[in-house]
Amino acid sequence: MSVRRAMDSHRPLAMQIIVAWRDNKWVVLREAAEVGSYAYRAHAMDMARTLAAEAQAQGRDCYMLVREQDGCWEEHPCPKPSRDGPAG
């Protein structure tokens, strides 16, 4: 096995994005690490779109878990990146 192939095997194939209602705010996590918290769901979803664009740029799939205000978890397809793409 080549060194590059061995290194690639340690990188997850799909990025996990979590949008969860916690302590009166929407929290967004990438691979279980918090990347932001927002008062409004729309702002949290904007960040989820940014993370989805990041995954796409890396050639990775992604999936999104959402914890609603009532505590229910649901899996969703990742949101489509904005047409403008990530800033930078």
Side-chain angles (χ1 to χ4, degrees), residues 6-84:
M7 288 174 41
D8 287 346
S9 67
H10 294 288
R11 190 178 89 189
L13 298 177
M15 178 185 291
Q16 178 191 61
I17 299 171
I18 296 175
V19 176
W21 180 253
R22 186 187 314 157
D23 299 326
N24 297 318
K25 61 187 172 187
W26 290 99
V27 179
V28 180
L29 301 99
R30 173 186 50 219
E31 309 295 355
E34 187 174 325
V35 294
S37 61
Y38 307 90
Y40 300 102
R41 183 184 177 123
H43 296 158
M45 292 306 292
D46 285 343
M47 176 52 76
R49 278 189 281 283
T50 298
L51 295 175
E54 180 183 304
Q56 185 179 45
Q58 294 173 1
R60 296 171 65 186
D61 291 328
C62 71
Y63 65 97
M64 184 171 71
L65 299 172
V66 178
R67 181 176 184 258
E68 298 293 344
Q69 289 176 309
D70 65 3
C72 292
W73 285 94
E74 293 184 13
E75 185 170 355
H76 296 273
C78 280
K80 293 184 180 182
S82 69
R83 292 179 184 233
D84 299 334

